[in-house]
Amino acid sequence: MQQILLDRNGNPLTPELKEIQEHHKQHLLETAIPKTSASIGQNKAFYISDRYMDLIASHVHPFYKSAEHKLIETAAKHKNYVLTAAGCVSLNRLFRWCQRLKCEPHAVMITGVPGIGKTTLLEKLVCDWANGKFYQRFSFIFFLRFRDLNKLEKISLESMILQEYPYLENQLGNILKNPERILFIFDGLDESVHEINFKSRHLSHDIKQVENVRAVVVGLAKRSLLKGCRLLMTSQPDRLAGKDISIFKGVLEVIGFLPNESQLYIERFFMNKDISDKVLGFLRENGVLYTFWYNPSYCWIICTVLSKFFKGQPTNNDQKKTLLPKTMTQLFAAFIADVLSNHSPDKFSARSLLTSIGWMAEHGIMNHVTKFEKQTLSQFNVDTASKLLPEIMKEYTRFPEASFSFLHPITQEFLAALVHYIDYSPEKLHSSLERAKSFNNNYGELFLSFLCGLSDVSTSTILEPYLGDLSSDAAKDVLTWLQLHLTWLQQEVTEPETLETRRLLSICFKFFELQNKAFCSECLGLFRCLSFCDVNLTPLDCSVVSFTLQSFEEIEVLGLRECNLRRKDVERFAPALHNIRNIGYDINACLLTSS
């Protein structure tokens, strides 16, 4: 039965509006929702709706402060969801009646860490609407990206829409007469250069009124503009920290794949049960990579890297085990090596491009920049004509001019660390180490961990066939800095045998990336009591702590009470248990009762 679209007075849409609506839907399917390659080596493209994997979106409270490490904190939330089966909001229920609020939310905010699937979720929503599946209450959906609005100082809502959808010019006035039938989607508040204050009283009240971008956006949110329309917005959590977003009656956080969807994603990626079973088995044993496979973006990177090992020529299992990535640094080194092997003509070209891109990435990390204008690329001598560049950075060519960002946020941090090994400068390295250490909320922790991980010889050899030798002097400087850093920490500790849990986990992560147990034992020799009590340990935490414990000859006390450990988490400690005299946790009870 064909659905008849009505306006707010209950009258069917005119033939002209029906025609323009169909054109608009097709335009969205072709432009706003990009087709994606299925997997490595498969050129066949598909719409996102064909292979979309369900994501967990749950209600959250307002954000009062930034997370210490967004990806790892989200991993802990994901683990908690799996343990408690907390409420999950379906994609087609974002604007349903809320019993608690006694109303339908007119504005909904969707948040989540980079790569978690916020934009993908929106694209799936638009795709389903355009294909007549969900949200048919809306006659038109306008999908706008904040990054495309960054160069605009003043604009009217009418012009904002027409800039993106110029073919609506003759009918836009009629479309906007029925605001109840319109959904506005604004993607990427965290990418906006405009300071959007949802408490502001400076609002736009008319669709033709020329105002600054923030007045138009806040006007839609506060319903001074097109009262009756619905608003959907996305942002990374950090941009919302400390902001009053009470105008959004629904605030949802995307925290990754549903429990079985990660496995299904991998099965669809490889399209071979034998290979996917081997990959799944390896991931379940590796707490570090397992921690991040909840995130769609990083699950893709993991599959891309592991495909090289499991889809290639048969190799000895012991040999394969030594070659498989164990750490985050090795994972991203293998990912960049795979990119270079497929797209770089020679070592000189690769080293030259990664040097210029690396210093730009480092500049971005030190200044909290993730989007780069074309003139910034010129300042760092990045060759925009290089065939390798699109494999590392994505270009946005929309109005008013091109901008670039790294394909994955962690890739920027990895390349920022790598540049110190391919273009070594002791002064720059020391400055970057100190600046990264001084950032609040552990902002620079992953960058520092990559610097430590690249000092490992087995890790650097992954890249050297494609880049040439990496600096051994940089490796020595990083290890010296880490030793001094630990010395300062020991001097700050009031009780010489203990260390604050947060700092301890950070140190364990760096040692795990180093993969040097002798160095770890030398640095942490004074500590005999390690406590992680009351910390929700992720599989990653368990793996890195276990590695650190194996470096000790003996630990007097290991505190693990109230860590929410499951059987699989406890099993990660198994290689280190013989080094521990007293464990502050009933391990046997956990093994007997936990799933």
PDB file of all heavy atoms in Angstrom, residues 421 424 426 429-430 433-434 437 451-452 455 472-488 511 514 516 519 522-523:
ATOM      1  N   TYR A 421      60.901   9.768  14.485  1.00  0.00           N
ATOM      2  CA  TYR A 421      61.823   8.674  14.167  1.00  0.00           C
ATOM      3  C   TYR A 421      62.314   8.720  12.726  1.00  0.00           C
ATOM      4  O   TYR A 421      63.323   8.093  12.401  1.00  0.00           O
ATOM      5  CB  TYR A 421      61.134   7.326  14.433  1.00  0.00           C
ATOM      6  CG  TYR A 421      61.013   6.995  15.900  1.00  0.00           C
ATOM      7  CD1 TYR A 421      59.955   7.483  16.652  1.00  0.00           C
ATOM      8  CD2 TYR A 421      61.956   6.193  16.541  1.00  0.00           C
ATOM      9  CE1 TYR A 421      59.825   7.190  17.996  1.00  0.00           C
ATOM     10  CE2 TYR A 421      61.853   5.894  17.895  1.00  0.00           C
ATOM     11  CZ  TYR A 421      60.791   6.396  18.615  1.00  0.00           C
ATOM     12  OH  TYR A 421      60.680   6.109  19.963  1.00  0.00           O
ATOM     13  N   TYR A 424      64.529  13.029  12.859  1.00  0.00           N
ATOM     14  CA  TYR A 424      64.894  13.201  14.268  1.00  0.00           C
ATOM     15  C   TYR A 424      65.493  14.576  14.558  1.00  0.00           C
ATOM     16  O   TYR A 424      66.397  15.042  13.876  1.00  0.00           O
ATOM     17  CB  TYR A 424      65.895  12.113  14.666  1.00  0.00           C
ATOM     18  CG  TYR A 424      66.513  12.298  16.027  1.00  0.00           C
ATOM     19  CD1 TYR A 424      65.751  12.272  17.188  1.00  0.00           C
ATOM     20  CD2 TYR A 424      67.900  12.490  16.141  1.00  0.00           C
ATOM     21  CE1 TYR A 424      66.331  12.427  18.432  1.00  0.00           C
ATOM     22  CE2 TYR A 424      68.500  12.643  17.386  1.00  0.00           C
ATOM     23  CZ  TYR A 424      67.710  12.614  18.533  1.00  0.00           C
ATOM     24  OH  TYR A 424      68.297  12.772  19.766  1.00  0.00           O
ATOM     25  N   PRO A 426      66.484  16.290  18.375  1.00  0.00           N
ATOM     26  CA  PRO A 426      66.405  16.140  19.838  1.00  0.00           C
ATOM     27  C   PRO A 426      65.635  17.271  20.507  1.00  0.00           C
ATOM     28  O   PRO A 426      64.899  17.041  21.477  1.00  0.00           O
ATOM     29  CB  PRO A 426      67.874  16.119  20.282  1.00  0.00           C
ATOM     30  CG  PRO A 426      68.656  16.649  19.126  1.00  0.00           C
ATOM     31  CD  PRO A 426      67.872  16.330  17.895  1.00  0.00           C
ATOM     32  N   LEU A 429      61.866  16.734  19.790  1.00  0.00           N
ATOM     33  CA  LEU A 429      61.379  15.570  20.512  1.00  0.00           C
ATOM     34  C   LEU A 429      61.201  15.874  21.994  1.00  0.00           C
ATOM     35  O   LEU A 429      60.154  15.563  22.585  1.00  0.00           O
ATOM     36  CB  LEU A 429      62.344  14.392  20.330  1.00  0.00           C
ATOM     37  CG  LEU A 429      61.998  13.111  21.094  1.00  0.00           C
ATOM     38  CD1 LEU A 429      60.602  12.629  20.755  1.00  0.00           C
ATOM     39  CD2 LEU A 429      63.033  12.027  20.809  1.00  0.00           C
ATOM     40  N   HIS A 430      62.193  16.510  22.599  1.00  0.00           N
ATOM     41  CA  HIS A 430      62.096  16.843  24.030  1.00  0.00           C
ATOM     42  C   HIS A 430      60.932  17.795  24.285  1.00  0.00           C
ATOM     43  O   HIS A 430      60.174  17.624  25.246  1.00  0.00           O
ATOM     44  CB  HIS A 430      63.403  17.478  24.508  1.00  0.00           C
ATOM     45  CG  HIS A 430      63.379  17.875  25.951  1.00  0.00           C
ATOM     46  ND1 HIS A 430      63.450  16.968  26.984  1.00  0.00           N
ATOM     47  CD2 HIS A 430      63.252  19.109  26.533  1.00  0.00           C
ATOM     48  CE1 HIS A 430      63.391  17.606  28.135  1.00  0.00           C
ATOM     49  NE2 HIS A 430      63.270  18.902  27.895  1.00  0.00           N
ATOM     50  N   LEU A 433      57.622  15.847  24.030  1.00  0.00           N
ATOM     51  CA  LEU A 433      57.429  14.972  25.188  1.00  0.00           C
ATOM     52  C   LEU A 433      56.920  15.766  26.385  1.00  0.00           C
ATOM     53  O   LEU A 433      55.983  15.340  27.073  1.00  0.00           O
ATOM     54  CB  LEU A 433      58.744  14.270  25.541  1.00  0.00           C
ATOM     55  CG  LEU A 433      59.196  13.137  24.612  1.00  0.00           C
ATOM     56  CD1 LEU A 433      60.659  12.778  24.862  1.00  0.00           C
ATOM     57  CD2 LEU A 433      58.314  11.901  24.816  1.00  0.00           C
ATOM     58  N   GLU A 434      57.523  16.906  26.631  1.00  0.00           N
ATOM     59  CA  GLU A 434      57.128  17.711  27.786  1.00  0.00           C
ATOM     60  C   GLU A 434      55.737  18.320  27.607  1.00  0.00           C
ATOM     61  O   GLU A 434      54.933  18.370  28.538  1.00  0.00           O
ATOM     62  CB  GLU A 434      58.164  18.803  28.047  1.00  0.00           C
ATOM     63  CG  GLU A 434      59.496  18.272  28.535  1.00  0.00           C
ATOM     64  CD  GLU A 434      59.343  17.409  29.782  1.00  0.00           C
ATOM     65  OE1 GLU A 434      58.705  17.866  30.743  1.00  0.00           O
ATOM     66  OE2 GLU A 434      59.844  16.268  29.780  1.00  0.00           O
ATOM     67  N   LYS A 437      53.086  15.605  27.990  1.00  0.00           N
ATOM     68  CA  LYS A 437      52.948  15.206  29.391  1.00  0.00           C
ATOM     69  C   LYS A 437      52.149  16.227  30.200  1.00  0.00           C
ATOM     70  O   LYS A 437      51.473  15.884  31.177  1.00  0.00           O
ATOM     71  CB  LYS A 437      54.336  15.014  30.009  1.00  0.00           C
ATOM     72  CG  LYS A 437      54.329  14.555  31.465  1.00  0.00           C
ATOM     73  CD  LYS A 437      55.735  14.201  31.924  1.00  0.00           C
ATOM     74  CE  LYS A 437      56.610  15.419  32.060  1.00  0.00           C
ATOM     75  NZ  LYS A 437      56.238  16.266  33.231  1.00  0.00           N
ATOM     76  N   LEU A 451      55.110   6.958  20.890  1.00  0.00           N
ATOM     77  CA  LEU A 451      56.546   7.282  20.916  1.00  0.00           C
ATOM     78  C   LEU A 451      57.323   6.171  21.613  1.00  0.00           C
ATOM     79  O   LEU A 451      58.401   5.765  21.157  1.00  0.00           O
ATOM     80  CB  LEU A 451      56.770   8.610  21.643  1.00  0.00           C
ATOM     81  CG  LEU A 451      56.539   9.890  20.840  1.00  0.00           C
ATOM     82  CD1 LEU A 451      56.607  11.111  21.746  1.00  0.00           C
ATOM     83  CD2 LEU A 451      57.555  10.019  19.704  1.00  0.00           C
ATOM     84  N   CYS A 452      56.765   5.662  22.702  1.00  0.00           N
ATOM     85  CA  CYS A 452      57.425   4.560  23.422  1.00  0.00           C
ATOM     86  C   CYS A 452      57.417   3.288  22.576  1.00  0.00           C
ATOM     87  O   CYS A 452      58.431   2.592  22.469  1.00  0.00           O
ATOM     88  CB  CYS A 452      56.718   4.306  24.754  1.00  0.00           C
ATOM     89  SG  CYS A 452      56.908   5.634  25.967  1.00  0.00           S
ATOM     90  N   SER A 455      60.012   2.796  19.834  1.00  0.00           N
ATOM     91  CA  SER A 455      61.404   2.550  20.239  1.00  0.00           C
ATOM     92  C   SER A 455      61.718   1.059  20.275  1.00  0.00           C
ATOM     93  O   SER A 455      62.885   0.673  20.346  1.00  0.00           O
ATOM     94  CB  SER A 455      61.662   3.169  21.624  1.00  0.00           C
ATOM     95  OG  SER A 455      60.940   2.469  22.630  1.00  0.00           O
ATOM     96  N   SER A 472      67.602   5.518  15.848  1.00  0.00           N
ATOM     97  CA  SER A 472      67.880   4.855  17.129  1.00  0.00           C
ATOM     98  C   SER A 472      68.108   5.900  18.227  1.00  0.00           C
ATOM     99  O   SER A 472      67.867   5.632  19.409  1.00  0.00           O
ATOM    100  CB  SER A 472      69.098   3.949  16.996  1.00  0.00           C
ATOM    101  OG  SER A 472      70.245   4.696  16.579  1.00  0.00           O
ATOM    102  N   ASP A 473      68.578   7.082  17.837  1.00  0.00           N
ATOM    103  CA  ASP A 473      68.772   8.155  18.821  1.00  0.00           C
ATOM    104  C   ASP A 473      67.433   8.599  19.405  1.00  0.00           C
ATOM    105  O   ASP A 473      67.325   8.897  20.603  1.00  0.00           O
ATOM    106  CB  ASP A 473      69.477   9.351  18.175  1.00  0.00           C
ATOM    107  CG  ASP A 473      70.936   9.066  17.864  1.00  0.00           C
ATOM    108  OD1 ASP A 473      71.528   8.216  18.559  1.00  0.00           O
ATOM    109  OD2 ASP A 473      71.478   9.674  16.925  1.00  0.00           O
ATOM    110  N   ALA A 474      66.412   8.651  18.564  1.00  0.00           N
ATOM    111  CA  ALA A 474      65.077   9.004  19.065  1.00  0.00           C
ATOM    112  C   ALA A 474      64.609   7.973  20.076  1.00  0.00           C
ATOM    113  O   ALA A 474      64.038   8.314  21.123  1.00  0.00           O
ATOM    114  CB  ALA A 474      64.095   9.111  17.902  1.00  0.00           C
ATOM    115  N   ALA A 475      64.858   6.689  19.786  1.00  0.00           N
ATOM    116  CA  ALA A 475      64.461   5.617  20.705  1.00  0.00           C
ATOM    117  C   ALA A 475      65.171   5.774  22.053  1.00  0.00           C
ATOM    118  O   ALA A 475      64.548   5.642  23.114  1.00  0.00           O
ATOM    119  CB  ALA A 475      64.774   4.259  20.086  1.00  0.00           C
ATOM    120  N   LYS A 476      66.478   6.067  22.016  1.00  0.00           N
ATOM    121  CA  LYS A 476      67.238   6.248  23.265  1.00  0.00           C
ATOM    122  C   LYS A 476      66.704   7.434  24.064  1.00  0.00           C
ATOM    123  O   LYS A 476      66.580   7.365  25.291  1.00  0.00           O
ATOM    124  CB  LYS A 476      68.718   6.454  22.941  1.00  0.00           C
ATOM    125  CG  LYS A 476      69.409   5.224  22.363  1.00  0.00           C
ATOM    126  CD  LYS A 476      70.846   5.556  21.947  1.00  0.00           C
ATOM    127  CE  LYS A 476      71.497   4.359  21.265  1.00  0.00           C
ATOM    128  NZ  LYS A 476      72.868   4.688  20.759  1.00  0.00           N
ATOM    129  N   ASP A 477      66.406   8.532  23.366  1.00  0.00           N
ATOM    130  CA  ASP A 477      65.894   9.725  24.052  1.00  0.00           C
ATOM    131  C   ASP A 477      64.552   9.448  24.722  1.00  0.00           C
ATOM    132  O   ASP A 477      64.284   9.920  25.845  1.00  0.00           O
ATOM    133  CB  ASP A 477      65.743  10.877  23.061  1.00  0.00           C
ATOM    134  CG  ASP A 477      67.074  11.485  22.657  1.00  0.00           C
ATOM    135  OD1 ASP A 477      68.108  11.048  23.213  1.00  0.00           O
ATOM    136  OD2 ASP A 477      67.089  12.385  21.808  1.00  0.00           O
ATOM    137  N   VAL A 478      63.683   8.699  24.045  1.00  0.00           N
ATOM    138  CA  VAL A 478      62.364   8.387  24.613  1.00  0.00           C
ATOM    139  C   VAL A 478      62.520   7.532  25.870  1.00  0.00           C
ATOM    140  O   VAL A 478      61.857   7.785  26.885  1.00  0.00           O
ATOM    141  CB  VAL A 478      61.482   7.670  23.566  1.00  0.00           C
ATOM    142  CG1 VAL A 478      60.223   7.100  24.219  1.00  0.00           C
ATOM    143  CG2 VAL A 478      61.091   8.642  22.452  1.00  0.00           C
ATOM    144  N   LEU A 479      63.393   6.531  25.823  1.00  0.00           N
ATOM    145  CA  LEU A 479      63.595   5.663  26.990  1.00  0.00           C
ATOM    146  C   LEU A 479      64.202   6.445  28.153  1.00  0.00           C
ATOM    147  O   LEU A 479      63.827   6.249  29.307  1.00  0.00           O
ATOM    148  CB  LEU A 479      64.495   4.486  26.617  1.00  0.00           C
ATOM    149  CG  LEU A 479      63.927   3.498  25.591  1.00  0.00           C
ATOM    150  CD1 LEU A 479      64.913   2.356  25.336  1.00  0.00           C
ATOM    151  CD2 LEU A 479      62.598   2.945  26.045  1.00  0.00           C
ATOM    152  N   THR A 480      65.138   7.337  27.843  1.00  0.00           N
ATOM    153  CA  THR A 480      65.733   8.170  28.894  1.00  0.00           C
ATOM    154  C   THR A 480      64.670   9.065  29.522  1.00  0.00           C
ATOM    155  O   THR A 480      64.611   9.217  30.758  1.00  0.00           O
ATOM    156  CB  THR A 480      66.863   9.037  28.306  1.00  0.00           C
ATOM    157  OG1 THR A 480      67.869   8.197  27.756  1.00  0.00           O
ATOM    158  CG2 THR A 480      67.468   9.930  29.385  1.00  0.00           C
ATOM    159  N   TRP A 481      63.831   9.672  28.693  1.00  0.00           N
ATOM    160  CA  TRP A 481      62.757  10.525  29.203  1.00  0.00           C
ATOM    161  C   TRP A 481      61.807   9.724  30.095  1.00  0.00           C
ATOM    162  O   TRP A 481      61.393  10.202  31.157  1.00  0.00           O
ATOM    163  CB  TRP A 481      61.977  11.127  28.038  1.00  0.00           C
ATOM    164  CG  TRP A 481      60.740  11.859  28.473  1.00  0.00           C
ATOM    165  CD1 TRP A 481      60.663  13.152  28.904  1.00  0.00           C
ATOM    166  CD2 TRP A 481      59.413  11.331  28.554  1.00  0.00           C
ATOM    167  NE1 TRP A 481      59.370  13.466  29.251  1.00  0.00           N
ATOM    168  CE2 TRP A 481      58.578  12.357  29.042  1.00  0.00           C
ATOM    169  CE3 TRP A 481      58.854  10.091  28.272  1.00  0.00           C
ATOM    170  CZ2 TRP A 481      57.209  12.178  29.250  1.00  0.00           C
ATOM    171  CZ3 TRP A 481      57.492   9.900  28.477  1.00  0.00           C
ATOM    172  CH2 TRP A 481      56.683  10.940  28.958  1.00  0.00           C
ATOM    173  N   LEU A 482      61.467   8.509  29.686  1.00  0.00           N
ATOM    174  CA  LEU A 482      60.539   7.693  30.466  1.00  0.00           C
ATOM    175  C   LEU A 482      61.138   7.348  31.826  1.00  0.00           C
ATOM    176  O   LEU A 482      60.445   7.396  32.853  1.00  0.00           O
ATOM    177  CB  LEU A 482      60.193   6.417  29.694  1.00  0.00           C
ATOM    178  CG  LEU A 482      59.128   5.504  30.318  1.00  0.00           C
ATOM    179  CD1 LEU A 482      57.839   6.266  30.570  1.00  0.00           C
ATOM    180  CD2 LEU A 482      58.870   4.295  29.420  1.00  0.00           C
ATOM    181  N   GLN A 483      62.436   7.033  31.855  1.00  0.00           N
ATOM    182  CA  GLN A 483      63.097   6.751  33.130  1.00  0.00           C
ATOM    183  C   GLN A 483      63.062   7.974  34.053  1.00  0.00           C
ATOM    184  O   GLN A 483      62.769   7.861  35.247  1.00  0.00           O
ATOM    185  CB  GLN A 483      64.543   6.323  32.895  1.00  0.00           C
ATOM    186  CG  GLN A 483      64.692   4.901  32.383  1.00  0.00           C
ATOM    187  CD  GLN A 483      66.142   4.528  32.168  1.00  0.00           C
ATOM    188  OE1 GLN A 483      66.886   5.246  31.485  1.00  0.00           O
ATOM    189  NE2 GLN A 483      66.565   3.393  32.712  1.00  0.00           N
ATOM    190  N   LEU A 484      63.376   9.146  33.498  1.00  0.00           N
ATOM    191  CA  LEU A 484      63.348  10.370  34.292  1.00  0.00           C
ATOM    192  C   LEU A 484      61.937  10.675  34.774  1.00  0.00           C
ATOM    193  O   LEU A 484      61.735  11.097  35.916  1.00  0.00           O
ATOM    194  CB  LEU A 484      63.885  11.545  33.457  1.00  0.00           C
ATOM    195  CG  LEU A 484      65.387  11.519  33.149  1.00  0.00           C
ATOM    196  CD1 LEU A 484      65.737  12.635  32.164  1.00  0.00           C
ATOM    197  CD2 LEU A 484      66.191  11.678  34.441  1.00  0.00           C
ATOM    198  N   HIS A 485      60.947  10.460  33.903  1.00  0.00           N
ATOM    199  CA  HIS A 485      59.548  10.698  34.257  1.00  0.00           C
ATOM    200  C   HIS A 485      59.140   9.824  35.440  1.00  0.00           C
ATOM    201  O   HIS A 485      58.470  10.278  36.380  1.00  0.00           O
ATOM    202  CB  HIS A 485      58.673  10.404  33.046  1.00  0.00           C
ATOM    203  CG  HIS A 485      57.209  10.575  33.292  1.00  0.00           C
ATOM    204  ND1 HIS A 485      56.660  11.719  33.832  1.00  0.00           N
ATOM    205  CD2 HIS A 485      56.163   9.719  33.075  1.00  0.00           C
ATOM    206  CE1 HIS A 485      55.349  11.577  33.934  1.00  0.00           C
ATOM    207  NE2 HIS A 485      55.031  10.365  33.493  1.00  0.00           N
ATOM    208  N   LEU A 486      59.561   8.569  35.432  1.00  0.00           N
ATOM    209  CA  LEU A 486      59.234   7.665  36.533  1.00  0.00           C
ATOM    210  C   LEU A 486      59.960   8.063  37.810  1.00  0.00           C
ATOM    211  O   LEU A 486      59.418   7.943  38.908  1.00  0.00           O
ATOM    212  CB  LEU A 486      59.596   6.234  36.144  1.00  0.00           C
ATOM    213  CG  LEU A 486      58.617   5.543  35.191  1.00  0.00           C
ATOM    214  CD1 LEU A 486      59.188   4.238  34.681  1.00  0.00           C
ATOM    215  CD2 LEU A 486      57.297   5.289  35.898  1.00  0.00           C
ATOM    216  N   THR A 487      61.170   8.559  37.670  1.00  0.00           N
ATOM    217  CA  THR A 487      61.916   9.031  38.841  1.00  0.00           C
ATOM    218  C   THR A 487      61.182  10.188  39.505  1.00  0.00           C
ATOM    219  O   THR A 487      61.059  10.248  40.738  1.00  0.00           O
ATOM    220  CB  THR A 487      63.336   9.476  38.439  1.00  0.00           C
ATOM    221  OG1 THR A 487      64.022   8.379  37.833  1.00  0.00           O
ATOM    222  CG2 THR A 487      64.118   9.954  39.652  1.00  0.00           C
ATOM    223  N   TRP A 488      60.677  11.118  38.694  1.00  0.00           N
ATOM    224  CA  TRP A 488      59.924  12.252  39.246  1.00  0.00           C
ATOM    225  C   TRP A 488      58.640  11.758  39.933  1.00  0.00           C
ATOM    226  O   TRP A 488      58.275  12.254  40.995  1.00  0.00           O
ATOM    227  CB  TRP A 488      59.551  13.225  38.121  1.00  0.00           C
ATOM    228  CG  TRP A 488      60.738  13.877  37.487  1.00  0.00           C
ATOM    229  CD1 TRP A 488      61.943  14.176  38.089  1.00  0.00           C
ATOM    230  CD2 TRP A 488      60.855  14.309  36.126  1.00  0.00           C
ATOM    231  NE1 TRP A 488      62.793  14.752  37.182  1.00  0.00           N
ATOM    232  CE2 TRP A 488      62.156  14.859  35.962  1.00  0.00           C
ATOM    233  CE3 TRP A 488      60.000  14.294  35.023  1.00  0.00           C
ATOM    234  CZ2 TRP A 488      62.612  15.366  34.763  1.00  0.00           C
ATOM    235  CZ3 TRP A 488      60.458  14.800  33.821  1.00  0.00           C
ATOM    236  CH2 TRP A 488      61.735  15.331  33.691  1.00  0.00           C
ATOM    237  N   PHE A 511      54.683   0.746  29.013  1.00  0.00           N
ATOM    238  CA  PHE A 511      55.575  -0.411  29.063  1.00  0.00           C
ATOM    239  C   PHE A 511      55.088  -1.530  28.147  1.00  0.00           C
ATOM    240  O   PHE A 511      55.890  -2.235  27.534  1.00  0.00           O
ATOM    241  CB  PHE A 511      55.703  -0.922  30.500  1.00  0.00           C
ATOM    242  CG  PHE A 511      56.627  -0.106  31.341  1.00  0.00           C
ATOM    243  CD1 PHE A 511      56.252   0.341  32.592  1.00  0.00           C
ATOM    244  CD2 PHE A 511      57.897   0.237  30.872  1.00  0.00           C
ATOM    245  CE1 PHE A 511      57.112   1.103  33.365  1.00  0.00           C
ATOM    246  CE2 PHE A 511      58.760   1.001  31.634  1.00  0.00           C
ATOM    247  CZ  PHE A 511      58.364   1.440  32.884  1.00  0.00           C
ATOM    248  N   LEU A 514      56.131  -0.748  24.767  1.00  0.00           N
ATOM    249  CA  LEU A 514      57.581  -0.953  24.627  1.00  0.00           C
ATOM    250  C   LEU A 514      57.946  -2.412  24.393  1.00  0.00           C
ATOM    251  O   LEU A 514      58.920  -2.719  23.701  1.00  0.00           O
ATOM    252  CB  LEU A 514      58.293  -0.485  25.900  1.00  0.00           C
ATOM    253  CG  LEU A 514      58.678   0.983  26.022  1.00  0.00           C
ATOM    254  CD1 LEU A 514      59.117   1.293  27.436  1.00  0.00           C
ATOM    255  CD2 LEU A 514      59.798   1.308  25.048  1.00  0.00           C
ATOM    256  N   ASN A 516      59.352  -4.408  26.456  1.00  0.00           N
ATOM    257  CA  ASN A 516      60.708  -4.613  26.966  1.00  0.00           C
ATOM    258  C   ASN A 516      60.606  -4.878  28.473  1.00  0.00           C
ATOM    259  O   ASN A 516      60.608  -3.955  29.285  1.00  0.00           O
ATOM    260  CB  ASN A 516      61.570  -3.379  26.675  1.00  0.00           C
ATOM    261  CG  ASN A 516      63.040  -3.594  27.019  1.00  0.00           C
ATOM    262  OD1 ASN A 516      63.382  -4.389  27.900  1.00  0.00           O
ATOM    263  ND2 ASN A 516      63.912  -2.889  26.324  1.00  0.00           N
ATOM    264  N   PHE A 519      63.569  -3.603  30.753  1.00  0.00           N
ATOM    265  CA  PHE A 519      63.513  -2.165  31.000  1.00  0.00           C
ATOM    266  C   PHE A 519      62.403  -1.843  31.996  1.00  0.00           C
ATOM    267  O   PHE A 519      62.570  -1.005  32.886  1.00  0.00           O
ATOM    268  CB  PHE A 519      63.274  -1.429  29.685  1.00  0.00           C
ATOM    269  CG  PHE A 519      63.224   0.065  29.811  1.00  0.00           C
ATOM    270  CD1 PHE A 519      64.392   0.808  29.955  1.00  0.00           C
ATOM    271  CD2 PHE A 519      62.008   0.731  29.795  1.00  0.00           C
ATOM    272  CE1 PHE A 519      64.346   2.184  30.074  1.00  0.00           C
ATOM    273  CE2 PHE A 519      61.951   2.107  29.912  1.00  0.00           C
ATOM    274  CZ  PHE A 519      63.120   2.843  30.055  1.00  0.00           C
ATOM    275  N   GLU A 522      63.517  -2.753  35.481  1.00  0.00           N
ATOM    276  CA  GLU A 522      64.513  -1.780  35.946  1.00  0.00           C
ATOM    277  C   GLU A 522      63.847  -0.494  36.425  1.00  0.00           C
ATOM    278  O   GLU A 522      64.249   0.091  37.437  1.00  0.00           O
ATOM    279  CB  GLU A 522      65.487  -1.478  34.813  1.00  0.00           C
ATOM    280  CG  GLU A 522      66.564  -0.463  35.157  1.00  0.00           C
ATOM    281  CD  GLU A 522      67.433  -0.119  33.958  1.00  0.00           C
ATOM    282  OE1 GLU A 522      67.423  -0.881  32.973  1.00  0.00           O
ATOM    283  OE2 GLU A 522      68.116   0.927  34.007  1.00  0.00           O
ATOM    284  N   CYS A 523      62.816  -0.058  35.719  1.00  0.00           N
ATOM    285  CA  CYS A 523      62.167   1.214  36.046  1.00  0.00           C
ATOM    286  C   CYS A 523      61.230   1.116  37.246  1.00  0.00           C
ATOM    287  O   CYS A 523      61.097   2.056  38.020  1.00  0.00           O
ATOM    288  CB  CYS A 523      61.379   1.718  34.847  1.00  0.00           C
ATOM    289  SG  CYS A 523      62.405   2.229  33.459  1.00  0.00           S
TER     290      CYS A 523
END
